[in-house]
Amino acid sequence: MATATVTAIPTDTGIETRNYLNADYGLKSWLLTTDHKRIAWLYLIAITFFFLVGAIAALLIRIDLLVPQGLIVTPETYNKLFTMHGIIMVFLFLIPSIPAVFGNFLIPMMIGARDVAFPKLNLLSWYVFVTGGMFVMYAIAAGGVDTGWTFYTPLSTSYLNTHVMAAAAGVFIAGFSSILTGLNFIVTIHKMRAPGMTWFRMPLFLWSMYATSVMQVLGTPVLAITLFLVAIERMFHVGIFDPALGGDPLLFQHLFWFYSHPAVYIMILPSMGVVSELIAAFSRKRIFGYEFVAFSSVAIAAISFLVWGHHMFVSGESVYAGVVFSALSMAVAIPSAIKVFNWTATLYKGSISFDAPMLYALGFIGLFTMGGLTGIFLATLAVDQYVHDTYFVVAHFHYIMVGGAIMGYMGALHYWWPKMTGRLYPDRWARVAAFIIFIGFNLTFLPQFVLGYLGMPRRYAIYPAQFQSLNVLSTAGASILGVGYVIPLIYFIWSLRYGPVAGPNPFRAKGLEWTTPSPPPPHNFEQTPIVTEEAYAYGSGVPHSV
Amino acid sequence: MLFGLLLGFLPEASTMARPVDYLFWFCIAVLVFFTALIFATIFYFAIRYRRRSEDEIPPQIQGNLPLEIVWTVIPMGIVAVMFVWGTALFIRNARPPADATDVYVTGKQWMWKIQHSNGRREIDALHVPEGVPIKLIMTSEDVIHDFSVPAFRVKKDVLPDHYTSIWFTADRLGKYRFYCDQYCGMGHSQMRGYLYVMTPGAYEAWLHHGVQAQTMAQAGALLYNRMGCSTCHGTGKGPPFAGLYGKTVRLANGSTAAANDAYLRQMILYPGQKIVAGYRDIMPTFKGQLTEEEVLDLIAYIKSLGSKPGNTGE
Amino acid sequence: MSDAHPHVAVAEQFDDAEQQHEAAGLGMWIFLATEIMFFGGLFASYTIYRNLYPAGFLAGSGLLNAKIGAFNTVVLITSSLTMAMAVHSAQLGRRKALIGFLFLTLLLGLTFVGVKLYFEWYHDYLTHVAPGFGFHPEGADLARIHALHAPLSAVELFMCFYFLMTGVHALHMVVGVGILTVLIVKAWRGRITRESHNIVEMAGLYWHFVDIIWIFLFPLLYLLGVTR
Ligand code: HEA
Ligand code: HEA
Ligand code: CUA
Ligand SMILES: [Cu+2]
């Protein structure tokens, strides 16, 4: 795509030339930067930290579940562990992951702009995010919170003496970061596209980021007001959600899921966008049915606001509400299926290479299919009435969030790392790690589907002995998975210093971001590029490497 | 074989379990089919079309409308089947038969208190007869819990200040686990117990084993006098209770209400919220003076005074 | 490139002033969309409880002073007018008129908040109908509640929503007042020219939005008790 104005790519772009990383030195130049690429790094560092905290919690959970009575912690602590694990992984890791890191880094580069529309707001979003994160960290340090990531009332408002307020405040604050980022991206994509970059020439990553941003902007305020009401009820003991005070506990669930269901697509859509980029680049083909993939992102965003009630089938909501929400949940699955089929069809007659990013993309497709189809199980009323709140649900969402979203995130990291740093990582290690993650992942979560079918409830610190063998299997898987995550952590850090120089386009991919040197200069493009081609126009030849 | 193995761990012990399992295994079939299809296709394409030279440019294919339509319509058809099937079962499971035996369940951090209408109480255990439809009328004294019996394939949240219910007909003798499935605080994972399915004869014997102090209705009758209900409801100052249960009550604001469990509970605990037509709003609230179990006793007493047929108490 | 705004400082990420102008406008509208969802959550919860406790909400509404509410409504609508005039003046580059109208808007905004604070909330506090601060209505208030057979807890819930909704609204007013102050200082120093009136326009959008929220709040909270 769009190589028209940037034809003369310097052939020898060593790391020595002036780029966004070495344009300025010192902590201050990072903490006060308005460069979207540096802000992407700020996010990358913050969310990696949060991921490690969340992962350690996961590790402790799995170790504790090795024996039915709990191996290392008391039930009280166990409850805090899964709560912190859920809150951190969802609100502080997965929701910001791809949007805040790769959205920030790539959106301006992909549309041929010098920066996002509101760079200062962008920096502010990061500070807001970190502030929110600090509140959550404070809640942990001060003794933890044990509401579950869902904060269900009246438990959270009237019965718990843990640090609910701090945790809720953290999520509330982090939410505003999400809103501001979404706002920034929508305006950027609408108003900052380079000449010739029409909507249907945009890479599919941008379509999915756009749909994600709309959901962030419209959904997050509802979460904010919900947590606000929880705080009011806790502080003043007025009956908003607690029936003992005259409130309605189901209202909380409605408000919470009105946000948190769209939130699950906030987590998966960016990953789907990444997968579209990867599949195109590593099979050197335009995505099959581009328009269908693009519009399915929009369809998912639209329908996702109408299905929240599927988390409440057995909560006492009316049978008729259940029927309607079940039907709509089925409907929201169709656009996802369309995406999966189109990605698979893109491989047909492609020129497929198996670089690490591609392995993650292929892993994504398979695991997302499994996670998504088990979502359909849950949307089927009579089945949900059976497996609701068992490990079946836990397995469903880990298949999508870990097997899907994180695979996409890892793929993105491996694909754009050379662009971000100018250096390559050891490809062989990367492929080995991808395999370890795939194996470890399935070993961890496949047994949990069976546990769910057998009726093991989730959020159980102590469980009947008949479930032990499957739990041991799952823990074994998690330790393999953990190794798989630690390897990239090591070689990425290694490559920062010792990695071979990557050159502007190591994967010989199309896309405006690959037309700049690696790492890109502070304002991305010397001149505003003029776009004359569709996205993924591999038919016109592949760019040179180096 | 996998099927049989799993059933060994988790029997189908109610009339609902078998149909739900059929649906579940249909879903599994869909899952396996599509997962296999996608994985196999990916593997095949990935190997068949692997990159053979560094400068290779494959033929560019834009898309194919008929194909898009096919893979939109087929999943639609499949989910339509699941939806209709699942919904039909769910609605059936939501409608208890009229002759179901009521058993009362109260959740409390972190135990299950169960009461049979003859007054027999148990904690974290539930005895039921085989082949008889049982309806659980459930409420909570504090937070939200969830009563789940995997072997019967049913569960429902248990809410404070509301009644929810599930029903089942056990059809296999034995001892099964039930759990609290909604996170409810520290002791959530210990809030569980055993459900015993007995032959009707054994159940009768169990039910009348030992000296039962009184049936729930009798306990309710005592409360009726002790709490002073009789001073109004026995004198015409308040409406009489005979034949009330299941009736459609006319209210002062012109609307009507079905006199089911939830209605009776509301009238006892929050009398000001609905006023029966023809009466004045003089009934004091009994909120805070009666436990959830005592409210259930009172309701059982009102039921014992006769009811309109065909009511479900839902 | 566009000639419409020749002398405006264009931030480096933008190609020209027009792009900058459009981006700011779109950003503002999206911000207002999030605000609508924010208030929407409150309105939805309010509506649900109103249906659940009709009597309680009716009685609660009776505790409010519709006359003061009406007065404040007039104040706000007038302020919308003066704000519109300010935007108009900015477009024409009339500095004095701009400052004047901004100042008037500021005064009206402060009046609104002052009245709300002193004649309503403080009064509610003194008569013990502020939720969470020892809610126990007395005298005529209590009699009215009894006459409507309203459970006290439902009345308190109404008052809770009343404080929440008007409180969040007042918070927006206070932010608006801050924005106006900044604008006045800028205009005073001559920093707002005909070409850079954009910022006044954005502030105007915000101010009108906050007014519109009140137009919904007023009947929802105050007039419920008057109509019956
Ligand atoms: C990224 C996160 C993510 C995503 C994308 C999804 C996607 C979906 N989810 Fe999931 N879900 C969660 C995260 C996610 N979910 C979480 C975190 C919970 C638990 C919350 C909690 O309680 O803590 C949850 C819980 C949850 C429930 C409630 C379960 C319960 O508590 O009882 C339900 C019920 O309907 C559901 C359904 C679905 C459906 C139908 C989809 C669909 O969008 C999936 C669509 C995808 C596909 C269908 C795959 C592609 C299909 C093919 C290629 C094959 C052809 C297709 C067909 C034959 C249809 N999910
Ligand atoms: C993005 C979201 C996300 C991610 C990535 C994960 C990742 C993992 N999760 Fe999590 N999970 C949730 C979201 C997520 N989870 C949510 C929302 C819940 C529900 C919470 C609730 O009920 O409220 C949940 C609940 C949940 C449970 C159920 C708890 C219960 O109900 O009782 C379990 C149990 O096995 C589990 C396991 C795991 C495992 C093994 C991983 C693995 O993928 C993690 C792999 C990582 C490691 C195994 C560690 C790797 C080690 C390092 C990185 C080195 C660090 C060490 C040092 C530096 C010393 N998760
Ligand atoms: Cu009771 Cu969990
Ligand atoms: Cu959902």
Side-chain angles (χ1 to χ4, degrees):
Chain A
M1 160 177 70
T3 40
T5 51
V6 201
T7 36
I9 294 166
T11 39
D12 178 22
T13 342
I15 309 279
E16 319 317 323
T17 52
R18 186 177 128 90
N19 61 49
Y20 81 103
L21 291 173
N22 63 18
D24 216 342
Y25 289 99
L27 200 60
K28 213 174 127 199
S29 79
W30 281 92
L31 291 180
L32 295 180
T33 181
T34 55
D35 186 333
H36 65 103
K37 299 183 289 302
R38 285 188 165 211
I39 293 175
W41 274 100
L42 294 181
Y43 273 112
L44 182 61
I45 292 162
I47 67 165
T48 305
F49 170 75
F50 290 130
F51 176 73
L52 289 180
V53 179
I56 290 169
L59 211 58
L60 294 177
I61 290 175
R62 284 301 348 151
I63 293 174
D64 193 55
L65 292 180
L66 273 172
V67 300
Q69 288 303 313
L71 187 61
I72 47 175
V73 296
T74 60
E76 222 173 332
T77 312
Y78 179 88
N79 295 342
K80 291 175 181 166
L81 280 177
F82 71 68
T83 302
M84 298 318 303
H85 169 68
I87 291 179
I88 292 176
M89 285 300 197
V90 170
F91 295 111
L92 300 182
F93 171 67
L94 202 49
I95 287 182
S97 63
I98 294 181
V101 177
F102 295 101
N104 252 319
F105 193 88
L106 292 170
I107 289 178
M109 308 222 9
M110 282 184 163
I111 62 175
R114 284 183 290 277
D115 207 322
V116 295
F118 309 115
K120 283 187 200 138
L121 193 67
N122 203 9
L123 180 65
L124 177 70
S125 310
W126 184 76
Y127 278 101
V128 173
F129 173 67
V130 172
T131 312
M134 286 305 121
F135 270 85
V136 176
M137 291 302 124
Y138 166 78
I140 302 183
V145 35
D146 59 346
T147 54
W149 80 283
T150 47
F151 292 104
Y152 270 20
T153 56
L155 181 66
S156 64
T157 52
S158 302
Y159 288 87
L160 295 178
N161 295 319
T162 48
H163 296 83
V164 181
M165 289 295 271
V171 173
F172 179 85
I173 295 169
F176 283 96
S177 157
S178 186
I179 294 177
L180 295 179
T181 305
L183 187 153
N184 220 335
F185 288 173
I186 296 179
V187 176
T188 306
I189 294 177
H190 260 283
K191 297 293 177 195
M192 312 281 287
R193 278 170 289 133
M197 176 63 86
T198 60
W199 285 92
F200 287 98
R201 281 183 184 166
M202 291 196 319
L204 287 164
F205 179 68
L206 295 181
W207 276 93
S208 65
M209 281 310 308
Y210 186 83
T212 307
S213 302
V214 170
M215 286 190 287
Q216 284 180 314
V217 161
L218 295 183
T220 321
V222 179
L223 176 71
I225 195 68
T226 311
L227 293 173
F228 191 54
L229 291 175
V230 167
I232 297 284
E233 176 160 313
R234 251 188 104 84
M235 283 192 299
F236 297 112
H237 292 285
V238 280
I240 301 174
F241 300 128
D242 183 354
L245 303 168
D248 179 356
L250 285 191
L251 178 66
F252 172 84
Q253 296 180 22
H254 281 294
L255 290 172
F256 180 82
W257 290 116
F258 181 83
Y259 164 76
S260 292
H261 182 81
V264 309
Y265 297 104
I266 292 176
M267 298 182 244
I268 200 71
L269 268 179
S271 240
M272 293 173 154
V274 166
V275 168
S276 297
E277 298 301 308
L278 301 183
I279 297 282
F282 294 99
S283 42
R284 288 201 178 147
K285 274 182 70 191
R286 181 178 155 82
I287 288 290
F288 192 88
Y290 171 99
E291 292 82 4
F292 290 91
V293 178
F295 278 124
S296 61
S297 292
V298 180
I300 288 176
I303 308 176
S304 74
F305 280 104
L306 305 174
V307 307
W308 77 87
H310 68 202
H311 296 273
M312 300 169 61
F313 287 151
V314 302
S315 70
E317 80 177 358
S318 82
V319 173
Y320 304 101
V323 172
V324 172
F325 283 123
S326 168
L328 287 164
S329 306
M330 300 290 180
V332 79
I334 301 300
S336 301
I338 292 176
K339 278 178 192 273
V340 167
F341 291 127
N342 278 297
W343 289 324
T344 311
T346 306
L347 300 176
Y348 177 66
K349 292 200 171 169
S351 163
I352 297 165
S353 74
F354 300 100
D355 299 76
M358 184 63 161
L359 296 182
Y360 284 108
L362 298 179
F364 174 101
I365 300 179
L367 299 180
F368 172 73
T369 301
M370 291 182 71
L373 280 164
T374 51
I376 309 264
F377 285 40
L378 296 171
T380 307
L381 284 163
V383 176
D384 188 67
Q385 190 184 20
Y386 165 30
V387 292
H388 169 77
D389 267 353
T390 64
Y391 264 78
F392 194 90
V393 176
V394 174
H396 154 66
F397 64 73
H398 282 92
Y399 258 81
I400 294 198
M401 302 208 291
V402 183
I406 292 195
M407 288 277 177
Y409 175 72
M410 294 297 280
L413 257 181
H414 286 83
Y415 183 52
W416 284 293
W417 183 263
K419 178 54 59 184
M420 294 176 80
T421 62
R423 293 189 184 271
L424 293 172
Y425 48 84
D427 194 54
R428 179 182 302 230
W429 276 106
R431 285 189 236 184
V432 169
F435 270 111
I436 295 179
I437 290 177
F438 186 84
I439 305 284
F441 170 79
N442 282 295
L443 201 55
T444 311
F445 294 107
L446 211 51
Q448 296 190 0
F449 279 126
V450 184
L451 279 173
Y453 174 81
L454 295 178
M456 175 162 166
R458 60 191 283 203
R459 299 170 170 174
Y460 258 33
I462 294 175
Y463 59 87
Q466 82 218 51
F467 300 130
Q468 188 176 5
S469 45
L470 285 163
N471 269 298
V472 172
L473 207 58
S474 177
T475 303
S479 49
I480 298 177
L481 183 56
V483 171
Y485 283 132
V486 172
I487 299 173
L489 199 66
I490 296 170
Y491 63 67
F492 275 139
I493 292 173
W494 174 88
S495 86
L496 278 178
R497 215 184 155 115
Y498 306 103
V501 173
N505 192 356
F507 301 116
R508 307 181 68 182
K510 293 266 183 174
L512 282 182
E513 78 270 27
W514 298 110
T515 64
T516 65
S518 306
H523 286 295
N524 306 346
F525 302 96
E526 303 300 326
Q527 305 165 297
T528 304
I530 294 172
V531 181
T532 55
E533 291 179 329
E534 298 187 311
Y536 323 117
Y538 285 95
S540 60
V542 288
H544 289 285
S545 66
V546 186
Chain B
M1 6 67 284
L2 180 64
F3 186 60
L5 192 72
L6 288 176
L7 283 187
F9 282 110
L10 187 72
E12 293 164 331
S14 79
T15 51
M16 260 165 218
R18 178 61 54 89
V20 171
D21 268 2
Y22 283 145
L23 172 59
F24 187 86
W25 290 100
F26 171 74
C27 292
I28 291 280
V30 173
L31 170 74
V32 169
F33 174 76
F34 277 101
T35 307
L37 180 78
I38 298 288
F39 269 105
T41 318
I42 288 179
F43 268 112
Y44 176 72
F45 285 168
I47 294 185
R48 170 85 173 68
Y49 302 111
R50 68 186 175 278
R51 188 169 297 170
R52 284 153 210 273
S53 88
E54 270 315 300
D55 293 314
E56 186 178 60
I57 296 175
Q60 298 295 308
I61 305 165
Q62 296 292 311
N64 182 322
L65 188 62
L67 256 184
E68 300 284 350
I69 293 174
V70 166
W71 63 48
T72 306
V73 170
I74 290 180
M76 271 184 182
I78 295 175
V79 294
V81 172
M82 288 181 181
F83 168 72
V84 172
W85 190 344
T87 304
L89 266 181
F90 184 72
I91 289 182
R92 202 185 95 191
N93 291 358
R95 294 221 180 101
D99 60 342
T101 308
D102 290 345
V103 176
Y104 300 86
V105 176
T106 310
K108 175 178 188 292
Q109 280 177 332
W110 293 279
M111 60 161 104
W112 292 106
K113 298 190 286 187
I114 286 156
Q115 200 177 0
H116 298 261
S117 44
N118 85 330
R120 172 114 203 210
R121 291 162 191 268
E122 41 188 341
I123 286 182
D124 289 347
L126 170 57
H127 290 74
V128 295
E130 184 194 15
V132 178
I134 302 286
K135 179 178 158 199
L136 304 182
I137 297 168
M138 310 186 292
T139 188
S140 159
E141 286 183 9
D142 36 50
V143 301
I144 304 178
H145 304 277
D146 181 295
F147 193 84
S148 159
V149 193
F152 291 179
R153 314 291 192 265
V154 287
K155 74 173 47 128
K156 187 73 158 252
D157 279 6
V158 178
L159 305 173
D161 232 38
H162 292 259
Y163 287 132
T164 53
S165 67
I166 48 182
W167 76 276
F168 49 79
T169 307
D171 63 358
R172 199 163 170 281
L173 296 180
K175 175 179 167 191
Y176 309 101
R177 284 183 185 275
F178 63 82
Y179 302 97
C180 174
D181 259 12
Q182 182 63 263
Y183 178 65
C184 53
M186 190 177 70
H188 165 61
S189 57
Q190 283 112 307
M191 192 167 161
R192 47 185 151 112
Y194 286 104
L195 197 152
Y196 303 86
V197 180
M198 315 168 91
T199 58
Y203 174 72
E204 275 317 302
W206 173 86
L207 202 57
H208 298 102
H209 177 77
V211 193
Q212 232 45 224
Q214 52 201 209
T215 66
M216 284 179 74
Q218 283 165 348
L222 287 180
L223 280 169
Y224 174 76
N225 288 317
R226 188 159 52 102
M227 300 304 292
C229 316
S230 52
T231 54
C232 298
H233 290 283
T235 60
K237 274 186 352 190
F241 290 154
L244 170 61
Y245 190 71
K247 205 172 77 175
T248 303
V249 183
R250 273 199 312 115
L251 300 178
N253 65 7
S255 61
T256 58
N260 54 26
D261 297 320
Y263 168 84
L264 295 179
R265 181 181 188 285
Q266 187 190 18
M267 295 307 273
I268 297 169
L269 296 182
Y270 309 99
Q273 287 180 11
K274 289 194 177 118
I275 310 297
V276 181
Y279 292 90
R280 288 186 308 129
D281 177 27
I282 49 167
M283 174 165 162
T285 172
F286 286 88
K287 175 131 177 89
Q289 302 178 40
L290 297 166
T291 64
E292 288 295 345
E293 283 158 307
E294 286 171 335
V295 176
L296 287 171
D297 286 343
L298 279 167
I299 292 175
Y301 167 64
I302 295 174
K303 277 187 196 172
S304 74
L305 297 177
S307 65
K308 279 264 176 311
N311 125 82
T312 61
E314 226 340 88
Chain C
M1 306 270 147
S2 159
D3 299 328
H5 312 280
H7 308 300
V8 193
V10 177
E12 58 199 358
Q13 71 272 23
F14 293 112
D15 288 336
D16 53 42
E18 193 183 331
Q19 192 186 31
Q20 176 163 339
H21 181 96
E22 282 179 1
L26 183 62
M28 193 66 204
W29 279 109
I30 296 171
F31 171 71
L32 295 184
T34 73
E35 290 277 50
I36 288 175
M37 294 308 288
F38 189 78
F39 279 101
L42 271 179
F43 278 116
S45 315
Y46 172 87
T47 313
I48 287 167
Y49 285 120
R50 185 175 152 183
N51 286 331
L52 213 57
Y53 304 116
F57 273 44
L58 202 61
S61 185
L63 297 178
L64 308 183
N65 189 332
K67 287 195 191 104
I68 299 183
F71 171 77
N72 256 348
T73 310
V74 175
V75 169
L76 264 197
I77 292 179
T78 318
S79 82
S80 250
L81 188 71
T82 56
M83 190 70 212
M85 296 302 288
V87 173
H88 188 64
S89 315
Q91 279 164 346
L92 296 179
R94 295 193 186 137
R95 194 173 75 105
K96 284 220 177 97
L98 170 63
I99 297 177
F101 281 121
L102 285 177
F103 194 67
L104 264 181
T105 316
L106 179 81
L107 276 188
L108 289 166
L110 284 175
T111 310
F112 177 93
V113 177
V115 167
K116 179 109 251 159
L117 214 61
Y118 186 76
F119 291 103
E120 298 200 81
W121 290 344
Y122 186 56
H123 178 264
D124 291 343
Y125 176 72
L126 292 183
T127 52
H128 307 293
V129 294
F133 293 96
F135 180 83
H136 59 101
E138 293 156 350
D141 290 341
L142 195 62
R144 195 157 50 236
I145 293 171
H146 280 321
L148 286 166
H149 311 298
L152 264 188
S153 66
V155 181
E156 185 175 6
L157 192 63
F158 173 87
M159 289 309 281
C160 183
F161 270 100
Y162 162 73
F163 269 80
L164 257 175
M165 293 163 91
T166 57
V168 174
H169 177 264
L171 197 69
H172 280 75
M173 293 291 296
V174 171
V175 171
V177 165
I179 295 174
L180 285 171
T181 315
V182 172
L183 285 186
I184 291 174
V185 172
K186 278 198 160 188
W188 191 267
R189 295 200 185 143
R191 295 278 171 75
I192 300 182
T193 61
R194 196 170 159 185
E195 289 75 31
S196 63
H197 69 269
N198 203 4
I199 169 172
V200 185
E201 224 176 293
M202 296 302 124
L205 269 181
Y206 175 81
W207 193 263
H208 296 318
F209 170 81
V210 178
D211 283 4
I212 289 173
I213 293 288
W214 179 258
I215 303 290
F216 279 99
L217 285 179
F218 176 61
L220 218 54
L221 295 171
Y222 290 79
L223 298 186
L224 190 61
V226 176
T227 44
R228 269 225 237 161

